[in-house]
Amino acid sequence: MTLNSIYVDNLIKTALLEDINYLDTTTDYLIDENQENTAIFLAKSSGVLCGIEVALRVFEILQPNGFETKVYKHDGDKLVKGEIIAEIHGKTRTILKGERTALNLIQHMSGIATATNKAVEIVSGTKASIADTRKTLPGMRPLQKYAVTVGGGRNHRYNLSDAAMLKDNHIDAGGGIANAVSKLKSKLGHMTKVELEVRNLDELNQALEAGVDVIMLDNMSPELMKQAVDITAGKALLEASGGITDETLREIAETGVDIISMGALTHSVKAFDISLKIK
């Protein structure tokens, strides 16, 4: 997966305008415009790197000419505390003005990649894959979903247009499972899949009878999930979701579900500790 450069540049420019407004009061009055410095990105903990090119792009936008970079670690690389990720050289004003925006992006993206990679390693050896959700920060979804893939996870749908997904409110408002699925299928194109959320085994059986492609097991216990796997017998993909933590991941994966989706990978992940130090 690669990021759209137009999206990345627009996001960075929005962030820079938010942070700088019309001047950097400290930097513009303190630092001579011709002063130059070298700085390093330094890992202050261990994990998976993500977003180094995005972070460096911040400085390239601020200083289109004469800004130099040396990249030692790339997205997906495992970092050890104390390792130098990259080195930059350019105008000191550029480094100081772009520092916070660059660090915000790379720390957040590396935090997601690290958390995802931990989850992937926990379920290793089972058939389950780790996936994200739409519980992302406004404007940040492409970066966050990219970070999930860098950590070894997979992307759920990007937005409401990607697939039809019936949750409890859709089912209740749509007249029940059979009616809602039938109505959807009568209008959907042949390339669009249907996923349906179920809360118990009775709804699971209804979903199977309706012929959906993916069934989400919402907040089910591992015992119920195992029964759902046996009942489904490969007729549809099974996705476990709802309140899943690192502590419960392995037990859920061992039930035989195909996918485990975790909103926490993007909506409440801890930032990865990276610093930018001027030499």
Side-chain angles (χ1 to χ4, degrees):
M1 176 184 174
T2 56
L3 288 166
N4 184 316
S5 60
I6 298 173
Y7 157 77
V8 172
D9 282 5
N10 285 340
L11 176 66
I12 290 171
K13 289 175 183 178
T14 298
L16 288 172
L17 283 171
E18 180 181 64
D19 204 31
I20 298 173
N21 200 340
Y22 62 96
L23 88 161
D24 177 343
T25 305
T26 308
T27 299
D28 286 332
Y29 290 148
L30 178 66
I31 305 299
D32 184 273
E33 65 177 345
N34 295 316
Q35 181 176 328
E36 294 190 355
N37 276 97
T38 297
I40 58 170
F41 282 91
L42 185 68
K44 299 185 72 176
S45 56
S46 298
V48 178
L49 176 65
C50 183
I52 182 58
E53 296 298 334
V54 174
L56 295 177
R57 183 63 182 152
V58 172
F59 303 103
E60 292 168 355
I61 288 174
L62 284 169
Q63 185 183 327
N65 299 308
F67 195 84
E68 301 172 1
T69 64
K70 294 179 181 178
V71 179
Y72 305 118
K73 297 292 180 179
H74 300 273
D75 286 0
D77 286 350
K78 295 285 185 70
L79 296 176
V80 176
K81 182 179 180 181
E83 284 190 304
I84 296 175
I85 300 167
E87 183 176 297
I88 60 177
H89 181 86
K91 291 185 177 180
T92 309
R93 286 187 178 184
T94 298
I95 295 171
L96 293 174
K97 289 181 180 182
E99 176 183 3
R100 185 70 269 152
T101 295
L103 286 176
N104 284 346
L105 292 169
I106 194 172
Q107 287 177 335
H108 183 61
M109 294 173 72
S110 295
I112 293 172
T114 298
T116 303
N117 187 253
K118 181 180 179 181
V120 169
E121 290 180 349
I122 289 173
V123 304
S124 177
T126 71
K127 67 182 293 188
S129 61
I130 300 296
D132 53 31
T133 71
R134 282 173 42 249
K135 295 177 181 177
T136 56
L137 297 173
M140 290 285 291
R141 185 171 292 173
L143 288 189
Q144 292 183 303
K145 283 185 171 283
Y146 167 74
V148 167
T149 66
V150 169
R154 301 175 69 181
N155 294 147
H156 210 290
R157 56 183 182 159
Y158 251 78
N159 54 50
L160 296 173
S161 301
D162 280 349
M165 184 170 173
L166 293 154
K167 298 179 77 68
D168 54 356
N169 284 333
H170 295 101
I171 295 166
D172 294 340
I177 291 174
N179 187 66
V181 173
S182 176
K183 187 173 183 179
L184 265 178
K185 285 192 168 187
S186 70
K187 297 181 179 180
L188 292 177
H190 68 285
M191 296 294 289
T192 307
K193 290 187 176 182
V194 178
E195 179 169 6
L196 189 141
E197 176 186 276
V198 302
R199 295 158 285 192
N200 51 57
L201 297 182
D202 177 56
E203 290 183 348
L204 172 75
N205 283 313
Q206 292 182 57
L208 290 170
E209 289 177 13
V212 300
D213 303 290
V214 187
I215 299 173
M216 178 187 286
L217 309 177
D218 181 44
N219 283 291
M220 283 191 183
S221 67
E223 293 76 22
L224 271 181
M225 288 185 191
K226 183 64 175 69
Q227 292 181 54
V229 169
D230 293 339
I231 292 169
T232 302
K235 299 184 187 74
L237 291 175
L238 291 180
E239 174 187 338
S241 186
I244 298 168
T245 65
D246 287 346
E247 289 69 35
T248 60
L249 251 180
R250 185 70 192 186
E251 184 179 10
I252 290 171
E254 289 177 344
T255 64
V257 295
D258 302 286
I259 306 144
I260 301 175
S261 57
M262 302 175 65
L265 295 177
T266 52
H267 70 59
S268 58
V269 72
K270 180 181 178 182
F272 185 87
D273 196 0
I274 295 172
S275 65
L276 181 67
K277 297 292 186 183
I278 288 182
K279 287 186 174 182

